[in-house]
Amino acid sequence: MNSLGLNIIFKMGCLCSKDSVTVNSKKYFLREQLGEGGFSTVYLGEEAGSKKLVAIKKIICHGMDDERVALREAEYHEVLQHKNVLKCLDSSLTGHADPVLNSTSMVLLVLPYFPRGTLLHELERRAANQRHMEPPEILCMFLQICEGIKAFHEAKPEPLAHRDLKTANILLDNYNNPIIMDLGSVARARVKITGTSDAQKLQDLAAERCSMPYRAPELWNVESYCIIDERTDIWSLGCLLYAMCYFKSPFDAVYERGDSVALAVISGTVHFPENTPFSEDIHDLILFMLRVNPMERPYIYSVIEKVTDTLAQYEGKA
């Protein structure tokens, strides 16, 4: 039994050729690469026989630590059963990771395929001609994302945090419903830091796994004695809502200029465009989440309540 209270058995899978993989006796042809991250590659796969399209996430592991992280990702998919969180259809482990022998193992995740792509793709299309989403549409979508994040924060036996919420990690289905994906950065939400070694370890992990323009201030400069909790995700949600309105995170411009994102985030200064199509209510909602001090930041329940109230105001005007 692992730390999540699950007993998940990963059957052996095999890489049959460069163009196909087999996961627990099911063969999938790899049609094209959909994306690549620091730790994995995602392919469009077609199940042999049924021709059903899926996404195949391939994670190459160079040691036992890599392997544990990859297998834990599949476990988190099992824990987080929510309509706004991506399901894992199947998974497998093959090979043996041993840095001494210079050998690797491979974890394969079979995931649903969403042809519309991500929220990032949708915002890039809209940014090309400055076509903003309407406030009720944004709030409806954002509310669903918050409900998905609530599933992380309510996970048993202990709360989880996504730790890498961003527009690129939100898929859209054919009905415009958001689906939270990429559980590779998911971790126990509540971490007690008791010394400089703990602090540096978490800071290094955050630098490796959490995207800069969406990373919470407390993960940039981890204090030697503190408690980090699920409100790291609330900061990211604030950045995400800003991006849904203005196409990019409030700290993307800093990143693109090559200036210090850490200083910008820790200062907590958020600028809104002068000619904005969005009301003060939306801006207040964003700033409600972008509080530098995590102890002053709301939990997901307060965020959902405020989003619901803001949405009701728009629906009342309709």
Side-chain angles (χ1 to χ4, degrees):
M1 193 74 71
N2 56 43
S3 61
L4 284 168
L6 296 175
N7 188 15
I8 299 176
I9 299 173
F10 291 86
K11 300 176 184 176
M12 297 302 288
C14 68
L15 185 62
C16 302
S17 75
K18 66 177 183 178
D19 296 318
S20 67
V21 293
T22 298
V23 181
N24 299 330
S25 78
K26 285 187 179 179
K27 186 175 182 178
Y28 300 90
F29 297 103
L30 303 182
R31 294 306 184 199
E32 61 181 275
Q33 185 174 312
L34 296 175
E36 187 171 19
F39 304 92
S40 62
T41 307
V42 180
Y43 298 91
L44 174 62
E46 181 186 286
E47 186 179 337
S50 73
K51 299 193 180 299
K52 176 184 175 183
L53 294 179
V54 295
I56 304 284
K57 185 171 185 177
K58 181 169 73 172
I59 308 169
I60 302 298
C61 307
H62 298 275
M64 293 302 293
D65 286 344
D66 289 352
E67 202 170 277
R68 277 192 290 269
V69 170
L71 294 179
R72 198 179 302 132
E73 181 173 348
E75 293 170 12
Y76 288 144
H77 277 285
E78 291 293 324
V79 171
L80 298 160
Q81 297 292 319
H82 190 277
K83 66 178 183 176
N84 297 113
V85 179
L86 189 66
K87 295 180 179 358
C88 181
L89 305 175
D90 204 353
S91 58
S92 68
L93 164 67
T94 186
H96 176 65
D98 189 332
V100 176
L101 299 175
N102 199 29
S103 62
T104 60
S105 61
M106 179 174 65
V107 172
L108 294 171
L109 303 181
V110 182
L111 306 164
Y113 171 59
F114 291 89
R116 278 193 64 195
T118 66
L119 178 58
L120 173 64
H121 298 138
E122 175 65 17
L123 292 174
E124 285 176 342
R125 287 190 288 267
R126 288 177 171 273
N129 56 12
Q130 288 294 300
R131 188 167 55 89
H132 298 269
M133 285 192 283
E134 293 297 320
E137 182 184 4
I138 289 174
L139 291 170
C140 282
M141 187 184 294
F142 186 69
L143 184 57
Q144 289 187 73
I145 295 170
C146 290
E147 292 288 353
I149 289 303
K150 187 174 79 163
F152 286 79
H153 296 182
E154 290 184 337
K156 303 297 182 187
E158 56 187 341
L160 299 171
H162 186 283
R163 293 263 182 93
D164 197 25
L165 276 173
K166 56 184 178 180
T167 55
N169 282 341
I170 306 293
L171 291 160
L172 296 177
D173 71 10
N174 291 333
Y175 303 97
N176 224 32
N177 296 310
I179 314 291
I180 300 165
M181 72 165 189
D182 195 355
L183 307 191
S185 298
V186 174
R188 289 186 299 114
R190 297 169 188 174
V191 183
K192 189 175 183 180
I193 304 298
T194 56
T196 53
S197 177
D198 281 354
Q200 191 60 53
K201 185 177 178 182
L202 179 57
Q203 196 166 305
D204 291 345
L205 183 64
E208 188 179 84
R209 296 269 174 178
C210 311
S211 301
M212 287 197 289
Y214 293 82
R215 192 187 309 165
E218 62 270 27
L219 295 177
W220 282 98
N221 184 20
V222 181
E223 296 179 6
S224 297
Y225 294 90
C226 67
I227 293 177
I228 304 290
D229 66 23
E230 57 267 41
R231 285 174 287 184
T232 54
D233 283 346
I234 303 302
W235 176 275
S236 301
L237 281 171
C239 295
L240 184 68
L241 181 57
Y242 184 102
M244 291 173 75
C245 295
Y246 300 113
F247 311 121
K248 291 184 177 183
S249 156
F251 306 104
D252 262 316
V254 179
Y255 176 74
E256 289 164 2
R257 287 197 305 269
D259 294 341
S260 172
V261 179
L263 288 177
V265 168
I266 291 167
S267 76
T269 304
V270 177
H271 298 287
F272 296 103
E274 287 184 13
N275 298 319
T276 173
F278 299 102
S279 70
E280 224 173 272
D281 290 337
I282 301 283
H283 291 175
D284 287 346
L285 179 55
I286 292 168
L287 295 175
F288 180 61
M289 292 176 275
L290 294 181
R291 295 180 180 176
V292 174
N293 184 344
M295 296 301 106
E296 296 175 359
R297 211 176 296 148
Y299 287 95
I300 192 64
Y301 308 102
S302 298
V303 174
I304 288 173
E305 183 179 2
K306 196 169 179 68
V307 174
T308 303
D309 289 345
T310 307
L311 180 58
Q313 290 176 27
Y314 280 98
E315 289 174 340
K317 294 173 185 175

